Amino acid sequence: MCGIVGYVGERESLGIAFDALRRMEYRGYDSAGIAVAGGPGLAVVKRAGKLANLEDKIAEVGSESLNGTTAIGHTRWATHGRPTDENAHPHVSYDGKVAIVHNGIIENFAPLRDELTQRGIELRSETDSEVAAHLLALAYNEGETAGDLRASALHVLNRLEGAFTLLFLHEDHPDQIIAARRSTPLMVGVGEGEMFLGSDVAAFIEHTKEAVELMQDSVVVITKDDFEILNFNGTPAEGKPFTIDWDLAAAEKGGFDSFMMKEIFEQPAAVRDTLAGHWDGNRVTLDESNLTNDDLKSFDQVFVIACGSAYHSGLAAKYAIEHWVRIPVQIEVASEFRYRDPILDERTLVLAISQSGETADTLEAVRHAKTQGAKVLAVCNTNGSQIPRESDAVLYTHAGPEIGVASTKAFLAQVAANYIVGLALAQAKGTKYPDEIRQIWDELESIPGKIAEVLGAKDQVDHISETLGAVKTMLFLGRGVGYPIALEGALKLKELAYIHAEGFPAGELKHGPIALIEEGLPVVVIVPSPRGVSQLHSKIVSNIQEIRARGAKTIVIAEEGDTAVEPYSNWLVRIPQTPTIMQPLLATVPLQFLSADIARENGNEDIDKPRNLAKSVTVE
Ligand code: F6R
C-alpha cells in the first residue's frame, strides 16, 4: 500500500530518495517523508499530502540540512491515523537516533504502545508504526542486544505481529540500512558501489536493472557494496535475483500530461504483448502457466475472484468462458469470497485476477481456495508478486508498469488473458472445434489494431464533456458482456471525477433504477453488435427509447454501421465492428477518456492520483 525506498551509496541520498518516491507515489499519497544519515547526523523531513508538499518543506528547511549518503523514504496510504504531519513517516525514536519507515499493519501495536508508555516513552503519532522506532532504540540502548544493531533489529522484528515491510536507519550506523519483510513486498536494487531498497523495482529502475526479491520473513542488511539476507532468527537466507525488463521510459510519462493518459494509449501494446506467445500457429498455448492439458480437462467449474476493475475483467470472462466451454463460472469479489464458505473442490479452477499481485483481499481468497483443494491460476501483471507466488499456476499480463492509480491498460490486458484461459479450456475440453478457436483467436489478434482506431478517434469523446454541463449522477447500461463494461465505466467515473455513477444491466432498469431517470440525466449505453445472433441489440435499442422517453440524455457506444441507434443518441461514439464478446476490449476505451475529461471539467487535474485511493490495496 505505502511506498518504501532506501539508498546507501556515495552520492547525495536526498535527491535519489525523492525521485524514487516520485515513482512510488502511486502506492499512496496521504503523506511523504525522508530520513537521511551519513552527513552531520540523522535528519528527517516529512509532510502530509502529496509529494509536492514535501518538496516545499525541503525548500523551506534547505536541502543542505539534509546532506548524507544514506536515506530511507516513504509515501503513505493512511491506515492507522489520519494523514497529518505527525503521522507521516519516517518515525523517529525517543532518543532521536533511529528512523523507520513501514508499510503494512503491526497488529499488536496496542500492547507494544502500552509497554512503551509505561516506560515513560511518549508516542507522538496515532500510527501503529511508531512503536517500531522506539523498540529498536530501546533494544540498542539496553539489555542483551545493547550496542548490536543487527541483533536489536532481529529482536524487535520477532516481537511484531502482522504484515510489514520495515526499514531501520540508525544515526550511529549511517553506512547501512536494515530492512525486513513479512507479507508485504521488498526488493533490493544492486548497483555498483550503491544499494537500493524499494517496495517495487520502480524505486530504483533509473539506477540499476539488477534486483533481488526478498522472500517471506526475510531480513536484509544493505551497505554500499553488499547485501546480506537473513531469516528472522538470524541464519543466512536466500533472495530471488532477477533482471528488470521494464525500462525507465515505461515508468515515465513520455510526453503525456498524465500516466493514465499514457497508459490508455499503451493499450494496443498491452493487449498485443499479453496475447503474444499463446498461439503456436494451430493451438492456444498456456505453456508458461504450469497448467497441463489434463489439468484443464479435469475442471468442471471455474470460480473467479478479484477486486474492482480486475473483478470486472473477470465478469467479462464469465460470459466468454460459459459460452465457449459450457461449464459454470461463478464470480465473486474477493473480499466476500472467503467469508461465505464457497463450494470448491479439486475439479474447480480458481482464476485469481490481480494487476499488482498484492491485493490482500484477493491473496486471502487464494489461500482460502487452496485450503479447499481447488487449483488456483493467477492472472497477474507484476512478476514475482505474492499472489502468483502462492498460486498453482500463473498467466502474466504484459501491460508493463501501470502507474496511474485507476486501472486502464491492465484491465484490458486482464480481459485478454482471461480470454486466453477460456480458449485454452475450450480447446482442452473440446467444446469448440479447432477452426472455431482459430477464428476467435484471429478476432483477438485483430483487437490491438481496433483499439488503436478507437484511440485515433478520441475527438468523438472530447466534445461530450464540454457540452454535457454539470453532472451530479450518471448511469451506465449494458447487456450481456456490455454489463461489465458498464460497471467499469461507472467505476472510472467515480474514481476520477468523484461523481456518483452506477452500472446496471439494461434489462434490470425497469425493476427499480428507472426511478432515477429525470430530465437531462446522462446515461451511457453500451450497445452490442447488431450482427450478433441474439436479440440483445434490439432489446437494448428498446431500453434506450424507454430512458429517452423519460428525459435522459444518452451517450451511446455502438459499432460502426449500426444505424438503429442514431435517432436515440444525444452523443454517439463509434467503435470498430467486432463480435460482441470482444467489446470489453474496445468499448471501455471511450469510457476511460470520458471519465478523465469529466474529472478535468470538475477541476480534478491530477487524474493519476484520485483522492483516498492507492494502487495496491494490501490491507483487508
Ligand atoms: C480501479 C482499480 C481497482 C483495482 C483493484 C484490484 O481502477 O484500479 O479497482 O482494479 O484494487 O487491484 P489489483 O488488480 O492490483 O488486485
Side-chain angles (χ1 to χ4, degrees), residues 274-296 377-378 392-396 398 417 420-421 423-425 427-428 441:
T274 298
L275 296 176
H278 291 292
W279 179 256
D280 72 1
N282 289 307
R283 292 175 62 79
V284 175
T285 60
L286 279 184
D287 292 348
E288 15 152 337
S289 78
N290 193 28
L291 274 184
T292 64
N293 219 40
D294 285 344
D295 289 331
L296 292 170
L377 169 63
D392 299 293
V394 55
L395 183 65
Y396 281 109
H398 293 281
I420 297 173
V421 176
L423 286 177
L425 281 166
Q427 180 176 270
W441 188 265

Side-chain angles (χ1 to χ4, degrees), residues 226-475:
D226 209 359
F227 66 91
E228 191 183 343
I229 302 177
L230 310 168
N231 292 309
F232 272 34
N233 61 12
T235 56
E238 295 283 313
K240 193 168 150 210
F242 64 102
T243 302
I244 304 163
D245 57 4
W246 292 350
D247 60 7
L248 180 60
E252 297 285 356
K253 286 185 194 157
F256 286 88
D257 60 2
S258 63
F259 281 111
M260 181 178 151
M261 212 36 81
K262 171 180 163 252
E263 288 158 6
I264 290 175
F265 277 86
E266 285 171 346
Q267 292 182 112
V271 171
R272 190 180 310 112
D273 293 349
T274 298
L275 296 176
H278 291 292
W279 179 256
D280 72 1
N282 289 307
R283 292 175 62 79
V284 175
T285 60
L286 279 184
D287 292 348
E288 15 152 337
S289 78
N290 193 28
L291 274 184
T292 64
N293 219 40
D294 285 344
D295 289 331
L296 292 170
K297 254 193 218 161
S298 70
F299 299 126
D300 59 12
Q301 70 161 344
V302 176
F303 222 120
V304 184
I305 46 179
C307 306
S309 293
Y311 171 85
H312 300 153
S313 83
L315 191 55
K318 173 181 164 71
Y319 289 89
I321 298 175
E322 286 187 342
H323 181 56
W324 294 334
V325 192
R326 311 302 304 141
I327 57 175
V329 179
Q330 302 194 56
I331 171 156
E332 187 142 16
V333 284
S335 53
E336 290 296 319
F337 173 82
R338 80 188 173 112
Y339 297 105
R340 197 185 51 81
D341 207 7
I343 302 161
L344 317 169
D345 58 24
E346 62 289 347
R347 291 172 70 87
T348 306
L349 173 66
V350 168
L351 199 58
I353 310 166
S354 174
Q355 185 286 128
S356 61
E358 286 181 40
T359 301
D361 291 316
T362 310
L363 180 59
E364 288 303 334
V366 165
R367 289 176 179 159
H368 185 67
K370 288 191 75 176
T371 64
Q372 308 292 299
K375 197 135 196 166
V376 180
L377 169 63
V379 167
C380 184
N381 197 44
T382 311
N383 229 293
S385 53
Q386 197 68 16
I387 290 172
R389 190 158 341 101
E390 294 199 21
S391 300
D392 299 293
V394 55
L395 183 65
Y396 281 109
T397 50
H398 293 281
E402 190 176 65
I403 310 288
V405 166
S407 189
T408 53
K409 62 175 181 172
F411 169 77
L412 255 60
Q414 283 161 352
V415 175
N418 299 343
Y419 282 13
I420 297 173
V421 176
L423 286 177
L425 281 166
Q427 180 176 270
K429 292 175 95 61
T431 51
K432 285 273 168 214
Y433 291 115
D435 56 337
E436 291 174 307
I437 291 178
R438 177 186 290 271
Q439 205 182 349
I440 301 169
W441 188 265
D442 287 348
E443 292 288 356
L444 265 180
E445 285 204 314
S446 72
I447 290 292
K450 291 180 183 175
I451 300 172
E453 282 178 49
V454 181
L455 296 172
K458 179 174 179 295
D459 55 344
Q460 298 186 94
V461 183
D462 289 346
H463 72 285
I464 300 179
S465 63
E466 290 155 19
T467 48
L468 201 55
V471 182
K472 279 200 275 173
T473 295
M474 204 149 147
L475 301 186

Side-chain angles (χ1 to χ4, degrees), residues 49 96 100 105 139 148 167 170 172 175 192 204 220 298 301 305 346 361 391 397 413 429 462-463 516 611:
I100 67 105
I105 292 181
D148 183 338
L167 267 54
H170 196 292
D172 297 346
D175 58 332
E192 288 197 10
F204 45 76
V220 66
S298 70
Q301 70 161 344
I305 46 179
E346 62 289 347
D361 291 316
S391 300
T397 50
K429 292 175 95 61
D462 289 346
H463 72 285
L516 293 170
R611 68 184 179 206

Side-chain angles (χ1 to χ4, degrees), residues 55-190:
E55 197 166 17
D56 292 345
K57 179 79 180 176
I58 293 172
E60 199 182 302
V61 299
S63 57
E64 56 295 343
S65 65
L66 293 155
N67 282 349
T69 50
T70 301
I72 58 176
H74 188 270
T75 173
R76 174 168 187 245
W77 188 82
T79 52
H80 285 69
R82 288 160 301 128
T84 60
D85 287 351
E86 275 70 39
N87 290 337
H89 298 220
H91 291 287
V92 177
S93 58
Y94 64 92
D95 62 354
K97 294 213 160 199
V98 175
I100 67 105
V101 292
H102 167 225
N103 172 25
I105 292 181
I106 297 174
E107 282 166 5
N108 59 336
F109 85 99
L112 294 172
R113 210 182 164 104
D114 291 347
E115 184 185 315
L116 289 166
T117 314
Q118 276 161 23
R119 295 276 323 245
I121 294 172
E122 194 190 325
L123 284 100
R124 289 175 286 254
S125 74
E126 304 158 319
T127 66
D128 54 332
S129 314
E130 189 188 338
V131 294
H134 301 301
L135 287 173
L136 183 65
L138 274 179
Y140 185 75
N141 292 340
E142 51 193 69
E144 274 178 28
T145 54
D148 183 338
L149 188 60
R150 187 180 296 204
S152 303
L154 289 170
H155 173 74
V156 173
L157 291 167
N158 280 296
R159 297 199 60 198
L160 303 180
E161 289 165 19
F164 47 82
T165 303
L166 262 168
L167 267 54
F168 294 119
L169 179 59
H170 196 292
E171 185 177 77
D172 297 346
H173 299 269
D175 58 332
Q176 61 179 271
I177 299 171
I178 301 184
R181 72 152 288 193
R182 169 174 287 163
S183 293
T184 54
L186 183 62
M187 311 285 165
V188 180
V190 183

